């Protein structure tokens, strides 16, 4: 059963959410990408090497997202044994998407409170990343990216709730993988094009349009969870 309540492929939707969440990704993780690049010894900052390391960071990050998605979906298999529980999970996923949209548009920062929960775990994981610095090899970059993937992030938590509603470990992992791929353009863009992309994504109108699109999607999902709405949808 598609947890979105729509005919859209859920993996495609997750990828789009990653793209729309680019404004948040640049604000939260753009500084990390810059810091990791500057940490590479100057003699090793060739375009080819830096490109490989940046891809390695993000491959590790997305792998952690997929592991988290599989874990959340595994929990969902225990919580969604009944139809009412399934509806509750789907409704919660829709509400989390709305919170994510409010966060992206800077209309409400309630997700910061949810992120605070993950900071306890992050305090134990973050020191592992320090031991990998400075990064000069691809395996180091992937390992550091895997650590980075557990950074407290309300956007990621919103998608994990969706994985919880899927209640299928494989699909939960693939959903988070699609979401992670959607965040790549915002984090990999560099140079002059990056400044243009950053300005576009940070623009209030762009953030508002992205937020309204996500809210519309979430409200439609909630509508289809209502018996009358589901009947009208055929």
């Amino acid at each position: 059963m598609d947890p979105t309540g729509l005919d859209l492929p859920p993996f495609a939707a997750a990828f789009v959410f990653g793209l729309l969440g680019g404004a948040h990704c640049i604000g939260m993780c753009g500084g990390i990408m810059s810091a990791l690049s500057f940490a590479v010894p100057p003699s090793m900052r060739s375009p080819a090497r830096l490109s490989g390391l940046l891809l390695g960071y993000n491959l590790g990050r997305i792998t952690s997202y997929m592991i988290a998605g599989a874990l959340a979906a595994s929990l969902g298999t225990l919580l969604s044994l009944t139809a009412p529980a399934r509806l509750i999970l789907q409704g919660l996923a829709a509400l989390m998407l709305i919170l994510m949209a409010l966060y992206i548009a800077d209309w409400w920062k309630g997700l910061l409170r949810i992120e605070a929960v993950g900071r306890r775990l992050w305090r134990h994981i973050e020191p592992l990343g320090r031991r990998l610095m400075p990064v000069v090899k691809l395996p180091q970059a992937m390992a550091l990216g895997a650590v980075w993937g557990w950074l407290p992030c309300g956007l990621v938590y919103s998608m994990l709730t969706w994985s919880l509603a899927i209640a299928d470990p494989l699909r939960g992992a693939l959903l988070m993988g699609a979401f992670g791929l959607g965040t790549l353009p915002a984090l990999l863009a560099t140079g002059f094009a990056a400044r243009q992309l950053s300005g576009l994504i940070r623009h209030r109108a762009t953030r508002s349009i992205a937020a309204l699109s996500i809210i519309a999607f979430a409200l439609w999902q909630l509508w289809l969870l209502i018996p009358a709405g589901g009947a009208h949808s055929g």
Side-chain angles (χ1 to χ4, degrees):
M1 182 176 181
D2 185 350
T4 64
L6 298 175
D7 292 332
L8 290 177
F11 301 145
F15 178 80
V16 171
F17 288 146
L19 289 175
L20 296 179
H24 175 64
C25 292
I26 286 179
M28 185 169 187
C29 297
I32 296 177
M33 290 289 284
S34 298
L36 293 176
S37 297
F38 282 115
V40 177
S43 61
M44 299 182 177
R45 289 181 192 170
S46 67
R49 180 181 289 272
L50 278 178
S51 297
L53 293 178
L54 291 177
L55 287 172
Y57 293 138
N58 284 281
L59 178 59
R61 175 177 62 89
I62 295 173
T63 299
S64 287
Y65 288 172
M66 295 179 71
I67 293 173
L71 292 175
S74 296
L75 179 59
T77 61
L78 301 177
L79 299 178
S80 59
L81 298 178
T82 65
R86 183 76 172 188
L87 289 175
I88 291 173
L89 286 174
Q90 292 183 39
L92 180 60
L95 292 176
M96 285 292 292
L97 289 177
I98 292 175
L99 294 180
M100 178 182 72
L102 297 178
Y103 193 8
I104 289 174
D106 287 329
W107 294 334
W108 188 65
K109 295 294 188 179
L111 278 185
L112 289 175
R113 301 174 184 175
I114 299 177
E115 288 180 358
V117 177
R119 293 193 187 112
R120 296 181 180 179
L121 175 62
W122 178 243
R123 283 199 295 265
H124 298 286
I125 297 177
E126 190 268 342
L128 298 177
R130 296 180 186 174
R131 300 174 186 174
L132 296 168
M133 301 288 287
V135 175
V136 295
K137 297 181 180 180
L138 182 59
Q140 280 181 287
M142 295 176 61
L144 186 55
V147 173
W148 171 17
W150 298 96
L151 179 74
C153 174
L155 188 65
V156 173
Y157 294 163
S158 299
M159 295 307 301
L160 285 177
T161 305
W162 195 1
S163 296
L164 184 69
I166 284 183
D168 181 317
L170 178 58
R171 295 185 68 213
L174 294 176
L175 184 83
M176 291 303 296
F179 163 73
L181 289 176
T183 66
L184 274 179
L187 292 178
L188 286 181
T190 56
F192 182 72
R195 289 193 291 272
Q196 289 182 321
L197 180 61
S198 176
L200 175 64
I201 293 179
R202 289 177 183 272
H203 196 280
R204 181 171 295 275
T206 304
R207 296 168 70 99
S208 297
I209 292 173
L212 290 173
S213 300
I214 294 174
I215 289 174
F217 187 96
L219 290 177
W220 182 246
Q221 176 186 343
L222 288 172
W223 167 251
L224 291 181
L225 293 179
I226 301 174
H232 290 313
S233 69

